[in-house]
Amino acid sequence: MTTTIDQARADLAPDGVLRAAINLGNPVLAQGDSQHPSGVTIDLAREIAHRLDTEVRFTCFDAARKSFQELAEGPATLGFLAVEPARAEQVTFTAPYVLIDGVYAVPDASPHRTPADVDAAGVRIGVKEGSAYDLFLSRTLEHATIFRGADGTTTFAEQDLDVAAGIREPVTAYVASHPGLRVIDEPFMQIRQAVATKPTVRAETTGWLDALLDELLAGGFVADALRRSGQGEGLAAPRS
């Protein structure tokens, strides 16, 4: 009799190998290099492979858009991506396992104090191309202009822009090392990081992944993985 595990294994590792696309460009989710990756996404992929009784292989990228492409069009069968409508057309998402704030950095003298202030005519915002916050801001901003590059803070500095957009942890670190800047503390979005699969997986497989994530969140696995990698335990999502 075919079990849910058998179905999940057939969907995610049909040849006995779970192929996971890893985004090293998000330091909350993954650290290290392609030879020695670490972090919460690495731990989750290994645990999923363990439950499936399969091997796991990692392919690492420096940007979410590249790991998304590997999952959507390449050989990867598992990914770790922020939930966004544009991506949901090509991949299937679980419930989130980590919640990250998207925030702005501005010069100390900037008149902008809230995210709403930033969406004004003439305001130029640096973002990382293809990131979750690029996708979000592209569909929600009405007046400000987006400038895309390798990183939001880098684009902000190189092009002398008004605002840098990014995830809270690295943006805060950037501001701390660059006097004359400040973080707008109110987030402009909450980035819901989820496990992603090819859209061809069965609903039972997505349900199995959701149940596993719920178990790992409840048991402290996700919080512990975040802590071990130097991230805040409080980033772990509430149980679904």
Side-chain angles (χ1 to χ4, degrees):
M1 179 177 178
T2 301
T3 67
T4 301
I5 288 287
D6 292 331
Q7 291 180 338
R9 187 184 300 112
D11 281 341
L12 301 175
D15 62 352
V17 178
L18 179 68
R19 290 176 168 82
I22 300 297
N23 174 24
L24 292 173
N26 185 330
V28 172
L29 303 182
Q31 304 86 39
D33 56 35
S34 59
Q35 298 302 311
H36 301 95
S38 61
V40 63
T41 53
I42 300 298
D43 290 350
L44 281 171
R46 285 177 173 151
E47 183 63 19
I48 292 168
H50 171 70
R51 299 297 182 99
L52 293 174
D53 192 24
T54 64
E55 179 185 350
V56 61
R57 293 179 190 170
F58 302 109
T59 306
C60 299
F61 302 91
D62 62 0
R65 60 185 172 84
K66 296 178 183 178
S67 59
F68 167 73
Q69 185 175 19
E70 180 76 358
L71 179 61
E73 303 174 6
T77 53
L78 195 77
F80 300 89
L81 297 161
V83 179
E84 265 294 308
R87 292 174 177 168
E89 297 174 1
Q90 298 183 65
V91 301
T92 297
F93 289 105
T94 66
Y97 64 91
V98 159
L99 303 177
I100 305 173
D101 286 343
V103 297
Y104 293 130
V106 296
D108 283 336
S110 171
H112 309 309
R113 298 288 171 181
T114 70
D117 295 339
V118 170
D119 190 12
V123 175
R124 301 162 303 154
I125 306 172
V127 306
K128 185 170 186 173
E129 183 180 5
S131 63
Y133 49 91
D134 177 12
L135 297 175
F136 174 81
L137 293 174
S138 294
R139 64 182 170 82
T140 59
L141 289 176
E142 297 181 356
H143 306 290
T145 302
I146 294 173
F147 289 73
R148 297 173 178 86
D151 188 80
T153 51
T154 303
T155 305
F156 163 80
E158 291 178 346
Q159 300 193 39
D160 193 25
L161 303 179
D162 305 296
V163 180
I167 60 178
R168 183 180 297 278
E169 289 72 17
V171 168
T172 300
Y174 180 85
V175 167
S177 63
H178 291 75
L181 301 178
R182 58 180 169 83
V183 175
I184 296 178
D185 190 62
E186 180 186 346
F188 62 80
M189 73 174 297
Q190 186 178 69
I191 303 169
R192 299 180 297 143
Q193 293 290 343
V195 176
T197 64
K198 292 185 181 300
T200 51
V201 302
R202 283 164 281 202
E204 292 83 359
T205 296
T206 303
W208 177 81
L209 284 169
D210 271 321
L212 176 57
L213 288 174
D214 198 43
E215 174 192 333
L216 297 178
L217 285 164
F221 179 99
V222 175
D224 287 345
L226 288 164
R227 175 182 49 78
R228 285 194 303 272
S229 59
Q231 310 305 312
E233 297 179 23
L235 296 174
R239 294 173 62 186
S240 60

